[in-house]
Amino acid sequence: QDPFLNIRNELYSLGANKKTKLYDLGNLKTGKAKNDTIIGLRDVIIDLITNNLTPIIVGNSEDVLFAQYLANVKLGIFTNIAIVDSKIAINENKESNTPSVLWKILVNENESVSTFTNIGFQTYFVNPKTLQFITEKNFSAYRLGYIRSNIKESEPVLRDAHLIGIDVSSVRLSDAPAQTEGSPNGFYGEEICQIARYSGTSNNVSTLGVYNYNYQLDQNKQTSKLIAQLIWYFIEGYYQRIDEDPAKSKTHFKKFIVTIDNAHNELIFYKSEKTDRWWMEIPTFKGSNQPKIISCTYEDYQKATSGELPDRWLNAFQKMNTE
């Protein structure tokens, strides 16, 4: 039985935009060893990206995420990674025979990692050492409760991401029962679809991976329906992309300068006159003095005007000037 047949059937039953072009490449044949399958998926992703196609991969394990990352490495992309996951599964034991995918990416293969952000972790699932590691590396992690009450906070992260991975277990078990490590808490179906739409609107995202789907546990095709709708929202966002970046052109942007007493520099913000989206400059004092422009929210601007350094600005500043 095709483990992804229900997802296909549900997706193709949904209404589509007339200009939507979706190619179904079928299921990837597994190799003799797990690594063979990962490398095979990596090479398929590379071929698709080099042909200006955006792969959407659905799988039953987090190896999907590793293949996404290895594809970007081979393409020479210094990668911003965003994952939506209730856990941050970084194995701190270097002697372990089965290191997690995140251990491989963030520790063993980290030369090509620019930033890493977890969206929606649940504190009781995460080792405090993992959060300490993330802080030390100037990476970011957002608790489930924070994102659920401020879902727009995920949009700038997803806008700047090059690859996005969504773990089905980030959704609460009642909304997505086809997962092996389900929890009664997690994102609601409509929330994960909103995150998928934000992902689709990003001009930087090259691949979307959805993983840890177990079709044998799919009661009433509920998880298949949700994944199909998640993909639908990603595609809808994709076709609503607007190519705008104040780092490339300041046309159609308003510039705002905010002075904060305890900051070394003025904080510079940009607002798009087309989409009302926000960006901010991050000054660097190492190597090139050219500031970097990252995505942000209106709330970041408001925080600056009230005399506080936005956490997003501070985290990016520390990372850029300590590497």
Side-chain angles (χ1 to χ4, degrees):
Q1 181 183 351
D2 179 359
F4 306 107
L5 180 61
N6 288 339
I7 296 175
R8 287 187 168 94
N9 290 339
E10 295 298 335
L11 178 61
Y12 301 152
S13 71
L14 301 176
N17 189 307
K18 290 182 179 180
K19 59 185 178 181
T20 299
K21 293 182 179 179
L22 181 66
Y23 304 93
D24 187 340
L25 302 185
N27 298 345
L28 182 72
K29 291 183 178 179
T30 57
K32 291 183 179 180
K34 182 169 75 169
N35 194 58
D36 296 332
T37 306
I38 294 171
I39 296 303
L41 180 55
R42 178 202 69 180
D43 291 344
V44 170
I45 292 171
I46 290 171
D47 284 344
L48 294 172
I49 292 175
T50 53
N51 283 284
N52 296 318
L53 296 171
T54 302
I56 301 171
I57 309 111
V58 181
N60 59 9
S61 80
E62 61 182 2
D63 291 328
V64 168
L65 180 66
F66 196 36
Q68 289 175 266
Y69 174 71
L70 292 178
N72 278 15
V73 171
K74 198 150 189 178
L75 289 167
I77 300 172
F78 199 42
T79 307
N80 295 339
I81 301 171
I83 65 166
V84 184
D85 195 349
S86 59
K87 307 170 185 66
I88 311 174
I90 302 175
N91 187 342
E92 292 92 359
N93 183 2
K94 294 182 180 180
E95 305 303 321
S96 173
N97 293 323
T98 56
S100 70
V101 164
L102 285 184
W103 177 270
K104 293 177 185 177
I105 293 174
L106 300 180
V107 180
N108 293 350
E109 303 273 351
N110 64 0
E111 292 86 357
S112 295
V113 177
S114 177
T115 64
F116 167 80
T117 304
N118 169 276
I119 296 172
F121 80 91
Q122 297 177 38
T123 307
Y124 37 74
F125 288 145
V126 180
N127 189 320
K129 291 182 179 178
T130 298
L131 296 177
Q132 181 180 349
F133 170 82
I134 286 175
T135 300
E136 290 172 352
K137 293 292 184 180
N138 292 307
F139 295 147
S140 301
Y142 294 90
R143 288 184 299 104
L144 171 68
Y146 177 76
I147 293 296
R148 288 199 61 210
S149 60
N150 305 272
I151 198 162
K152 288 184 178 179
E153 282 293 312
S154 65
E155 189 275 330
V157 173
L158 299 165
R159 197 193 322 162
D160 283 348
H162 297 109
L163 71 82
I164 294 173
I166 298 179
D167 192 324
V168 175
S169 68
S170 66
V171 181
R172 61 181 191 153
L173 189 60
S174 58
D175 281 17
Q179 49 177 298
T180 52
E181 297 181 354
S183 169
N185 291 312
F187 287 112
Y188 284 73
E190 59 266 38
E191 292 167 340
I192 205 69
C193 286
Q194 179 63 64
I195 288 171
R197 186 182 177 282
Y198 285 150
S199 303
T201 58
S202 168
N203 290 300
N204 293 307
V205 171
S206 60
T207 58
L208 171 70
V210 181
Y211 48 91
N212 282 339
Y213 164 69
N214 185 340
Y215 78 99
Q216 295 175 318
L217 301 175
D218 200 1
Q219 302 169 16
N220 301 319
K221 301 180 183 179
Q222 186 168 330
T223 311
S224 300
K225 293 177 187 290
L226 179 59
I227 293 176
Q229 291 171 18
L230 181 160
I231 293 171
W232 187 93
Y233 274 101
F234 178 84
I235 295 171
E236 183 195 56
Y238 178 90
Y239 282 104
Q240 293 179 358
R241 288 182 177 184
I242 295 177
D243 188 11
E244 57 178 4
D245 185 349
K248 298 176 182 177
S249 172
K250 302 296 191 297
T251 306
H252 305 300
F253 286 93
K254 288 184 178 179
K255 182 177 180 179
F256 299 84
I257 300 175
V258 181
T259 302
I260 297 183
D261 293 339
N262 62 347
H264 295 293
N265 294 72
E266 296 171 319
L267 271 61
I268 299 175
F269 292 84
Y270 299 93
K271 179 187 178 183
S272 167
E273 294 179 321
K274 293 180 179 179
T275 63
D276 289 338
R277 294 188 296 188
W278 287 78
W279 286 259
M280 59 185 172
E281 279 191 10
I282 310 297
T284 178
F285 301 106
K286 298 189 71 175
S288 171
N289 289 323
Q290 187 69 25
K292 182 178 180 180
I293 297 179
I294 67 169
S295 301
C296 69
T297 63
Y298 173 59
E299 285 71 23
D300 289 319
Y301 169 72
Q302 285 185 308
K303 192 169 186 177
T305 58
S306 68
E308 294 182 66
L309 283 172
D311 294 338
R312 201 187 313 274
W313 186 96
L314 189 59
N315 197 50
F317 178 83
Q318 290 174 336
K319 182 166 183 59
M320 285 181 60
N321 292 283
T322 57
E323 292 177 341

